[in-house]
Amino acid sequence: MHSSWIPRGNYIESNRDDCTVSLIYAVHLKKSGYVFFEYQYVDNNIFFEFFIQNDQCQEMDTTTDKWVKLTDNGEWGSHSVMLKSGTNILYWRTTGILMGSKAVKPVLVKNITIEGVAYTSECFPCKPGTFSNKPGSFNCQVCPRNTYSEKGAKECIRCKDDSQFSEEGSSECTERPPCTTKDYFQIHTPCDEEGKTQIMYKWIEPKICREDLTDAIRLPPSGEKKDCPPCNPGFYNNGSSSCHPCPPGTFSDGTKECRPCPAGTEPALGFEYKWWNVLPGNMKTSCFNVGNSKCDGMNGWEVAGDHIQSGAGGSDNDYLILNLHIPGFKPPTSMTGATGSELGRITFVFETLCSADCVLYFMVDINRKSTNVVESWGGTKEKQAYTHIIFKNATFTFTWAFQRTNQGQDNRRFINDMVKIYSITATNAVDGVASSCRACALGSEQSGSSCVPCPPGHYIEKETNQCKECPPDTYLSIHQVYGKEACIPCGPGSKNNQDHSVCYSDCFFYHEKENQSLHYDFSNLSSVGSLMNGPSFTSKGTKYFHFFNISLCGHEGKKMALCTNNITDFTVKEIVAGSDDYTNLVGAFVCQSTIIPSESKGFRAALSSQSIILADTFLGVTVETTLQNINIKEDMFPVPTSQIPDVHFFYKSSTATTSCINGRSTAVKMRCNPTKSGAGVISVPSKCPAGTCDGCTFYFLWESAEACPLCTEHDFHEIEGACKRGFQETLYVWNEPKWCIKGISLPEKKLAACETVDFWLKVGAGVGAFTAVLLVALTCYFWKKNQKLEYKYSKLVMTTNSKECELPAADSCAIMEGEDNEEEVVYSNKQSLLGKLKSLATKEKEDHFESVQLKTSRSPNI
């Protein structure tokens, strides 16, 4: 596909892809002058810059003239720059940034005027479809509808008869086609006094079809009457044919008369449009086409009873626009809105029915400064609801713009493609009406129904209708303030701010682990942490990075992470200081921008675009890996090298998108890493290089020494030194490796008095050891000696007995009954203990025999 600027008649259109395309014009000025042009620039997914080089190849002095501002849909902006004398080369350069399959909306440029150029004497003929009836005219005029012209015409020629037609600026006439169902539309008339509405059918103007052809259809008959739908909530019918808003202090559901609110209640102001018989007074509709004026003055949308739908328009590429104007938003009387809290919300239910590449845009304009696209839906979408939350009391204009196709077509091939909006609801709207009443707080000395505002963070007690502050660690719901249940508990590890409007982490966290208390202090990480992730490349090779900002904790719950759009030579600090209403600046707990480096497209500075909020609500902090359906899988990050548990911060975004119907969510895993000092290092999962695998849940790993728990007495041990000169030294050292930070400090070394008993301990130990060995040796010796004596004694007895048996026979050798054994063993020549020790010491080897005398009671004669 070839990318270039494309002429479109009275304007020129830029590319729609992610290529960089330049429109270049060189001019020589006799004197200094200026260049002026009109443009449309509505899509911030394409960068549009205009710059000038002179004959010394020097660019313009200021960069503020280089970057062109966005315009609202359907509006033409203007841009002018001073030119120096000499040769000037003008550049209109566009670069599309496509992160998905959706094409960007092109930049349109027209009416380029250069002052100071030397005029030429040569005239150029008018192109076909235009004419000039005055020689030397500055420009050519466009031929009106049903006329045509050729090149160099002085006037336009009408089509020959009613069977032909032509559009504005045509070079020829064409035959009118037969009428089809695509050439007419139906409308509902306002209700009459009988409460009836008529269905009317009308041809789409300008009518280009013919009814007199054989296969043409006729316009259906109009006038069928149907019952009018009831009035919208907050309106009433006083017997007339129209609905009127209820007076202040009253309410109605649309079917009954307005009634005053009971005592102790107040009207719930807002707008709820769900019946579409006539267009509400604060809404308007229009049709716009950048290339022609065929649909100027047409209604872009038509009411249809229970819904409002896109109209026919003039061609398929028209923008069919519906606007809702609300002068401001404010909380109920009983609530005092805290800074940054929700003031209201707008919700609409819709569906799209498309056979081509239709797109529905939802846009928001604040204080009539610039219109920004909040969300868009392409193709056919089932019936669904979308909610946009309001955080600021300002004048808002909400716009719904529907385009059947963005291709440059001037026909009506897709006339049946449409969008239907069934209901639009805006809460807490200034100058709104009430469909119901809600409880309010009463002054302590008042008995009437006059309501008084409750201080921030106070709910209305049901029994007394008095204001009462929410309990600690809760925040007040914006949707109801009646009853204690309006105070919603904060998540784990979080606390409420002073106004009870949000919950946040004060950067301190406590966890009990195996009878050990772990205290964390993330205060040094409370400043915004940043991560530049990438690079990545588009299908056309454009390099880009994802830039994340994370506001972890502290700051009383303020969203300190800032991301910007289209920021070039300005810093975020300069923007915030210069204006607190910068529409291209988003603040959140976690946000993301797409960064285009300067070398990628030849820019002089890096560009930031597509800033989105990833998290604007704090959910809680815990060591658990799951909180409110946000789950950090075990294999998502590397396994920690210590036993210190990781701490997880959980956030979510309150805004739903087409791909994330429950909004986006974010989990930040804080990991203790003593080697990462200071702010540490932030990373994303390797399996999800963009920080997310599904586009809805984002994961980050933040490693830092500041993520370690505070040091306690369990993180060090003592070492006792030797007793020297009556003193003993005790030192305290950290356990290795050290997995803590700050907290308590190491105790100072201490000296204690002691006694030198080492020598006597050694002597006592030596004596005791020698004595034990000696006792063991003696025991063994005497036991062995006793065994020898027993053996010798037994042998001697046996020898003696044998000799006695050889003597003449005696009466008996045994002891007779009644006799006593009077023999005694007598040991003689017995060594003393000292002698035995001496023998043992001299290791005598000879045997010492003892004399044994046998004493018997028998007669010596025997």
Side-chain angles (χ1 to χ4, degrees):
M1 177 180 177
H2 180 66
S3 296
S4 65
W5 287 78
I6 304 173
R8 294 292 188 187
N10 61 345
Y11 65 91
I12 187 169
E13 178 184 289
S14 74
N15 60 311
R16 297 170 179 265
D17 54 21
D18 57 351
C19 292
T20 298
V21 180
S22 296
L23 177 66
I24 305 173
Y25 182 77
V27 62
H28 184 81
L29 300 183
K30 295 296 185 182
K31 59 180 181 179
S32 60
Y34 66 89
V35 58
F36 170 89
F37 61 91
E38 295 180 77
Y39 68 95
Q40 279 195 13
Y41 177 28
V42 297
D43 192 345
N44 60 7
N45 289 323
I46 187 169
F47 294 108
F48 180 32
E49 54 181 336
F50 173 73
F51 59 96
I52 304 166
Q53 286 184 340
N54 57 24
D55 48 7
Q56 283 83 36
C57 293
Q58 296 176 344
E59 288 192 20
M60 61 182 68
D61 297 332
T62 61
T63 57
T64 55
D65 296 330
K66 179 177 180 179
W67 299 99
V68 185
K69 297 180 180 179
L70 289 168
T71 61
D72 294 340
N73 270 314
E75 295 186 4
W76 289 90
S78 61
H79 193 80
S80 62
V81 179
M82 297 300 297
L83 301 177
K84 296 179 179 180
S85 59
T87 301
N88 291 268
I89 305 175
L90 314 180
Y91 292 86
W92 291 265
R93 184 162 68 179
T94 56
T95 302
I97 307 300
L98 270 66
M99 301 306 164
S101 59
K102 187 183 297 183
V104 298
K105 300 176 70 174
V107 175
L108 311 180
V109 175
K110 70 175 184 179
N111 294 340
I112 301 175
T113 303
I114 301 175
E115 179 70 27
V117 66
Y119 289 100
T120 177
S121 59
E122 181 182 0
C123 290
F124 298 94
C126 292
K127 66 179 183 179
T130 63
F131 74 99
S132 176
N133 53 10
K134 295 180 181 180
S137 296
F138 182 72
N139 55 17
C140 300
Q141 301 179 38
V142 178
C143 288
R145 188 177 287 113
N146 294 327
T147 64
Y148 71 98
S149 71
E150 298 178 352
K151 183 178 181 180
K154 295 181 179 180
E155 62 180 4
C156 298
I157 305 171
R158 294 190 64 84
C159 296
K160 63 179 181 178
D161 54 34
D162 292 340
S163 64
Q164 294 184 334
F165 80 102
S166 68
E167 300 290 351
E168 290 182 350
S170 297
S171 59
E172 61 179 357
C173 294
T174 56
E175 295 293 328
R176 294 180 182 271
C179 292
T180 65
T181 56
K182 298 180 180 181
D183 294 305
Y184 68 87
F185 63 96
Q186 73 173 27
I187 62 172
H188 290 70
T189 63
C191 293
D192 56 21
E193 296 180 354
E194 299 178 355
K196 300 291 184 180
T197 179
Q198 293 185 7
I199 299 178
M200 309 296 292
Y201 295 91
K202 293 185 177 181
W203 293 112
I204 297 175
E205 297 294 339
K207 181 182 177 184
I208 61 174
C209 66
R210 293 177 58 183
E211 300 178 66
D212 55 350
L213 299 178
T214 56
D215 52 350
I217 67 168
R218 299 296 180 91
L219 191 67
S222 300
E224 179 185 359
K225 288 190 175 183
K226 290 187 176 181
D227 292 335
C228 284
C231 293
N232 280 307
F235 292 82
Y236 73 101
N237 190 321
N238 58 358
S240 63
S241 59
S242 59
C243 296
H244 302 276
C246 287
T250 62
F251 72 101
S252 173
D253 61 359
T255 62
K256 301 176 183 178
E257 294 182 355
C258 300
R259 294 173 294 171
C261 288
T265 64
E266 63 178 349
L269 298 179
F271 294 103
E272 183 181 359
Y273 300 127
K274 62 180 181 179
W275 299 111
W276 305 92
N277 181 251
V278 293
L279 197 66
N282 60 347
M283 300 184 72
K284 66 177 183 179
T285 178
S286 59
C287 179
F288 170 76
N289 192 301
V290 296
N292 57 64
S293 58
K294 290 191 300 181
C295 75
D296 290 356
M298 291 184 177
N299 288 331
W301 293 66
E302 300 289 347
V303 294
D306 64 343
H307 66 274
I308 184 171
Q309 64 186 31
S310 55
S315 58
D316 286 340
N317 61 351
D318 291 342
Y319 286 99
L320 308 175
I321 298 174
L322 178 67
N323 302 111
L324 169 63
H325 178 76
I326 295 181
F329 289 87
K330 67 176 183 179
T333 304
S334 297
M335 297 181 62
T336 303
T339 302
S341 62
E342 177 183 332
L343 295 183
R345 55 179 57 195
I346 181 168
T347 303
F348 58 94
V349 179
F350 73 98
E351 69 174 336
T352 56
L353 305 171
C354 300
S355 59
D357 56 339
C358 72
V359 181
L360 171 65
Y361 298 94
F362 174 63
M363 298 171 286
V364 175
D365 172 80
I366 302 177
N367 292 331
R368 299 180 178 178
K369 290 188 175 181
S370 64
T371 301
N372 294 314
V373 177
V374 176
E375 192 58 81
S376 62
W377 299 266
T380 298
K381 297 296 180 183
E382 296 181 353
K383 190 174 181 180
Q384 58 185 277
Y386 178 80
T387 298
H388 179 70
I389 299 177
I390 308 299
F391 296 98
K392 183 177 183 179
N393 184 16
T395 300
F396 282 82
T397 298
F398 302 100
T399 300
W400 294 264
F402 181 70
Q403 188 182 39
R404 294 187 179 93
T405 177
N406 61 6
Q407 304 301 320
Q409 299 179 2
D410 292 334
N411 52 28
R412 299 191 184 107
R413 292 173 51 197
F414 309 113
I415 192 69
N416 291 328
D417 291 3
M418 67 177 65
V419 57
K420 296 180 180 180
I421 295 182
Y422 293 92
S423 65
I424 299 176
T425 304
T427 63
N428 299 338
V430 174
D431 296 339
V433 294
S435 61
S436 61
C437 299
R438 57 189 163 199
C440 68
L442 301 178
S444 57
E445 298 180 357
Q446 297 181 6
S447 58
S449 61
S450 178
C451 297
V452 296
C454 283
H458 287 63
Y459 68 95
I460 303 172
E461 196 173 37
K462 291 183 178 180
E463 291 77 9
T464 62
N465 269 34
Q466 301 296 313
C467 299
K468 189 173 182 179
E469 186 177 4
C470 281
D473 299 331
T474 63
Y475 69 98
L476 186 63
S477 170
I478 187 63
H479 304 295
Q480 76 166 55
V481 293
Y482 194 60
K484 192 174 181 179
E485 58 270 19
C487 301
I488 303 174
C490 293
S494 61
K495 60 188 297 185
N496 61 278
N497 64 347
Q498 185 177 0
D499 295 336
H500 286 272
S501 59
V502 296
C503 294
Y504 72 101
S505 169
D506 59 359
C507 298
F508 293 94
F509 178 70
Y510 169 80
H511 174 63
E512 189 79 22
K513 177 178 180 290
E514 297 177 357
N515 297 326
Q516 180 181 356
S517 299
L518 298 179
H519 295 263
Y520 295 82
D521 181 6
F522 300 101
S523 300
N524 290 342
L525 301 179
S526 62
S527 57
V528 177
S530 299
L531 167 66
M532 182 79 79
N533 185 40
S536 301
F537 297 87
T538 66
S539 59
K540 294 295 182 67
T542 301
K543 182 167 71 172
Y544 65 92
F545 295 85
H546 283 137
F547 182 72
F548 300 95
N549 277 330
I550 302 175
S551 177
L552 186 70
C553 58
H555 307 288
E556 286 289 320
K558 295 180 180 178
K559 306 174 182 66
M560 304 302 293
L562 302 177
C563 292
T564 57
N565 288 334
N566 291 344
I567 305 305
T568 55
D569 297 334
F570 302 100
T571 64
V572 172
K573 292 182 180 180
E574 291 171 343
I575 293 169
V576 175
S579 171
D580 58 358
D581 190 32
Y582 193 77
T583 56
N584 289 332
L585 188 68
V586 298
F589 288 115
V590 185
C591 62
Q592 171 193 304
S593 294
T594 300
I595 305 297
I596 311 298
S598 57
E599 71 274 9
S600 179
K601 290 292 185 179
F603 297 133
R604 193 170 61 182
L607 304 180
S608 176
S609 177
Q610 297 179 336
S611 296
I612 58 175
I613 295 176
L614 303 183
D616 57 14
T617 303
F618 181 72
L619 297 180
V621 53
T622 176
V623 295
E624 304 297 330
T625 57
T626 302
L627 182 66
Q628 293 192 16
N629 298 324
I630 307 175
N631 181 32
I632 305 177
K633 298 182 180 178
E634 295 182 358
D635 59 347
M636 189 162 290
F637 294 104
V639 178
T641 58
S642 73
Q643 298 298 321
I644 301 299
D646 296 333
V647 180
H648 307 102
F649 286 74
F650 294 92
Y651 311 83
K652 73 173 183 178
S653 172
S654 55
T655 302
T657 64
T658 54
S659 56
C660 306
I661 58 176
N662 295 321
R664 297 183 178 94
S665 55
T666 302
V668 181
K669 177 187 283 285
M670 305 301 298
R671 176 167 293 176
C672 172
N673 190 334
T675 63
K676 309 292 185 182
S677 60
V681 177
I682 304 176
S683 60
V684 296
S686 57
K687 61 194 304 184
C688 307
T692 178
C693 297
D694 59 2
C696 296
T697 306
F698 290 76
Y699 303 94
F700 300 93
L701 173 62
W702 195 335
E703 297 181 273
S704 172
E706 299 291 337
C708 295
L710 301 180
C711 294
T712 65
E713 62 274 6
H714 300 286
D715 295 303
F716 64 85
H717 61 277
E718 64 179 26
I719 299 177
E720 294 183 350
C723 185
K724 296 180 180 180
R725 300 177 181 177
F727 292 97
Q728 184 181 34
E729 187 179 60
T730 303
L731 298 178
Y732 297 91
V733 295
W734 295 112
N735 299 334
E736 292 295 338
K738 183 183 177 184
W739 296 102
C740 67
I741 191 172
K742 296 182 292 188
I744 66 172
S745 302
L746 280 177
E748 297 290 338
K749 65 180 181 180
K750 64 180 181 180
L751 292 176
C754 62
E755 296 181 0
T756 307
V757 294
D758 292 349
F759 174 77
W760 294 111
L761 287 176
K762 292 178 181 179
V763 172
V767 172
F770 174 78
T771 304
V773 171
L774 181 61
L775 290 176
V776 171
L778 289 176
T779 302
C780 294
Y781 170 78
F782 285 115
W783 179 80
K784 186 175 181 180
K785 194 72 174 178
N786 185 52
Q787 293 294 322
K788 287 183 178 182
L789 290 175
E790 289 181 355
Y791 171 75
K792 291 179 180 180
Y793 175 75
S794 300
K795 188 175 182 181
L796 180 60
V797 171
M798 291 176 62
T799 303
T800 305
N801 290 337
S802 61
K803 289 180 179 182
E804 289 180 355
C805 291
E806 293 176 358
L807 295 176
D811 295 338
S812 174
C813 292
I815 297 175
M816 299 303 292
E817 183 178 356
E819 293 180 349
D820 294 329
N821 185 2
E822 297 177 355
E823 294 179 354
E824 295 179 0
V825 179
V826 180
Y827 298 91
S828 62
N829 298 328
K830 193 173 184 179
Q831 284 184 317
S832 65
L833 177 62
L834 183 61
K836 293 181 179 181
L837 290 177
K838 183 178 180 181
S839 300
L840 181 65
T842 56
K843 298 182 181 179
E844 292 179 341
K845 295 183 180 179
E846 57 212 292
D847 293 333
H848 292 271
F849 296 94
E850 298 177 359
S851 300
V852 179
Q853 180 181 1
L854 299 179
K855 183 180 179 180
T856 179
S857 59
R858 291 182 179 270
S859 172
N861 296 330
I862 295 178

